[in-house]
Amino acid sequence: MQLFTIGGYGHDEVSFVTALKDNEIDLFVDIRFRRGMRGSRYSFLNATRLQEILRDAGIEYIHLKSLAPSDVVRSVQKAADVQSNDTKRNRLHLSDNFISAYKDDVLQNASQDEIIRAIAGHKHVCFFCVEKAHTACHRSIVTNWLENAAGPARHI
């Protein structure tokens, strides 16, 4: 099994699906808490439309809400973004405080075995959230956490 990550920002529907197909993704793992995007530019990433697009592309979809950061954890990154005068769309890195809070709040309560079972049987598994840079998103923390069981992730 090969792990991948992809963010929504910076894509349109065609480039998004093309990136998934070019990497032969057969399982798409949505790890957002709220599965919607604001504005018409990214409406293709709203849960219902996204699932239709993936189904048409022959890509299985699952939502692992248990891997989404809570409102409290997200507020830690929002505070860091305000302090650094950054935005979610432009951020390049997560704050150390967010990483610690995410690991303590989410990963400490998650089971690697359960996640691996949920994605087993697929060759190319892609973890998704909205930020463009994987280093600015919790999906990189998740794939690093799964690395011992599934190998390092590629970021598309």
Side-chain angles (χ1 to χ4, degrees), residues 133-150:
H134 72 278
T135 54
C137 181
H138 72 288
R139 67 184 186 269
S140 63
I141 302 171
V142 171
T143 55
N144 287 342
W145 177 68
L146 293 172
E147 192 172 280
N148 287 339

Side-chain angles (χ1 to χ4, degrees), residues 12-126:
D12 59 25
E13 184 176 331
V14 171
S15 69
F16 191 79
V17 172
T18 299
L20 296 173
K21 285 184 170 185
D22 285 352
N23 287 280
E24 302 176 344
I25 302 304
D26 59 346
L27 178 63
F28 186 92
V29 184
D30 193 337
I31 59 173
R32 297 176 291 174
F33 188 80
R34 294 175 187 88
R35 295 178 296 154
M37 300 281 288
R38 290 190 177 134
S40 60
R41 180 176 180 190
Y42 294 109
S43 63
F44 71 96
L45 295 172
N46 291 329
T48 301
R49 178 72 183 123
L50 176 60
Q51 288 174 69
E52 291 171 0
I53 291 166
L54 294 171
R55 188 173 29 256
D56 291 347
I59 301 169
E60 187 177 337
Y61 171 95
I62 62 172
H63 180 221
L64 293 181
K65 188 176 181 178
S66 63
L67 293 177
S70 66
D71 287 337
V72 171
V73 174
R74 276 196 305 277
S75 71
V76 171
Q77 187 59 49
K78 286 180 187 176
D81 290 345
V82 167
Q83 187 174 31
S84 65
N85 198 29
D86 214 345
T87 65
K88 184 178 190 175
R89 290 187 188 206
N90 296 320
R91 177 188 331 125
L92 295 176
H93 299 281
L94 293 167
S95 70
D96 290 339
N97 289 341
F98 175 88
I99 293 168
S100 292
Y102 181 80
K103 287 178 178 179
D104 290 347
D105 187 59
V106 177
L107 294 186
Q108 183 174 322
N109 299 310
S111 165
Q112 279 187 337
D113 291 339
E114 285 181 24
I115 303 303
I116 294 298
R117 277 194 299 276
I119 63 177
H122 296 88
K123 291 184 180 181
H124 298 105
V125 178
C126 189

